[in-house]
Amino acid sequence: VDTNVIADWIIPGNAFHEEATDFMSFAFREKVNAFVSSHSLADLFYITRKDFASSEVPAISILEALKKIDFS
């Protein structure tokens, strides 16, 4: 799964949030084997840090969303 898809999924205001949410929901529901590269974690931290003020979305919310993905 591309980093941008995950970013769109966890950042509600992004242009493709709805499509990314649909894709991720399908992947979870159908138990699709989707893979994410390890460097995406660093990229996602950087992207979400820029897009969210600390008062808007706590880091734990982002971590909870990412826990749904199998990074193995």
Side-chain angles (χ1 to χ4, degrees):
V1 179
D2 184 74
T3 304
N4 294 320
V5 173
I6 299 171
D8 287 337
W9 174 53
I10 62 177
I11 302 171
N14 279 4
F16 295 103
H17 175 72
E18 186 174 331
E19 291 85 349
T21 300
D22 290 345
F23 172 80
M24 296 301 284
S25 294
F26 175 80
F28 295 133
R29 187 176 57 251
E30 300 299 322
K31 297 185 176 14
V32 172
N33 289 327
F35 299 92
V36 178
S37 64
S38 58
H39 74 273
S40 292
L41 293 174
D43 294 343
L44 288 166
F45 174 78
Y46 176 76
I47 292 166
T48 56
R49 193 185 57 139
K50 286 187 345 174
D51 288 335
F52 291 121
S54 60
S55 62
E56 290 181 67
V57 175
I60 195 70
S61 295
I62 295 166
L63 291 174
E64 289 301 317
L66 293 176
K67 282 182 185 178
K68 296 180 180 181
I69 300 171
D70 182 7
F71 289 97
S72 55

